[in-house]
């Protein structure tokens, strides 16, 4: 792996997963509002704890490079499902942009699934050689 790949892999993991981690934390502090938003789309507000756990823990796992492929797969699926449920109103340009943002994040996460976490990842520490 060349120097650029060595340095950019952990930065890329951090940047792609940060949105999930921060969103999960924000949902904790705006629980009722988020629950209401979900219910407006006929999604049970009782699923909010699952959403928070996925965003916070899978986001953090990708950031530190632990169980990266599993965590990135989980977040990729979550992103597609979220896009289809909450951002599929293509008549609204903002919702279309949010839909495309989720799809773009999915693409980045699938690159992690395909190529692994790169350097400076806990996954590398636990590899069996």
């Amino acid at each position: 792996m060349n120097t650029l790949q060595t340095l950019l892999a952990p930065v890329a993991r951090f940047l792609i997963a940060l949105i999930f981690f921060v969103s999960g934390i924000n949902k904790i502090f705006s629980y009722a509002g988020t629950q209401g938003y979900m219910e407006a789309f006929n999604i049970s507000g009782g699923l909010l704890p699952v959403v928070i756990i996925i965003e916070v823990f899978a986001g953090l796992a990708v950031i530190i490079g632990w169980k990266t492929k599993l965590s990135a797969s989980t977040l990729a699926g979550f992103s597609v499902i979220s896009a289809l449920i909450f951002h599929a109103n293509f008549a609204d340009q903002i919702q279309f942009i949010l839909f495309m943002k989720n799809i773009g994040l999915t693409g980045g996460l699938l690159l992690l699934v395909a190529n692994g976490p790169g350097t400076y990842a806990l996954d590398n520490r636990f590899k069996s050689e």
Side-chain angles (χ1 to χ4, degrees), residues 44-102:
S44 171
L47 291 174
L48 184 53
V50 175
V51 169
I52 291 169
I53 289 168
I54 289 171
E55 287 188 319
V56 171
F57 290 105
L60 187 59
V62 169
I63 288 170
I64 64 175
W66 182 69
K67 303 283 185 186
T68 306
K69 291 184 177 193
L70 174 63
S71 300
S73 296
T74 301
L75 290 173
F78 176 81
S79 292
V80 170
I81 292 167
S82 297
L84 292 171
I85 293 172
F86 298 108
H87 305 302
N89 178 5
F90 300 138
D92 180 343
Q93 186 176 11
I94 299 295
Q95 292 306 314
F96 177 72
I97 290 168
L98 291 171
F99 180 90
M100 294 306 295
K101 179 239 349 155
N102 279 36

Side-chain angles (χ1 to χ4, degrees), residues 1-11 117-120:
M1 197 174 277
N2 69 38
T3 304
L4 189 59
Q5 289 171 318
T6 299
L7 297 175
L8 289 182
V11 172
T119 54
Y120 303 112

Side-chain angles (χ1 to χ4, degrees), residues 35-48 51 85-86:
Q35 198 171 35
Y37 182 75
M38 290 173 66
E39 290 170 351
F41 286 86
N42 296 318
I43 303 299
S44 171
L47 291 174
L48 184 53
V51 169
I85 293 172
F86 298 108

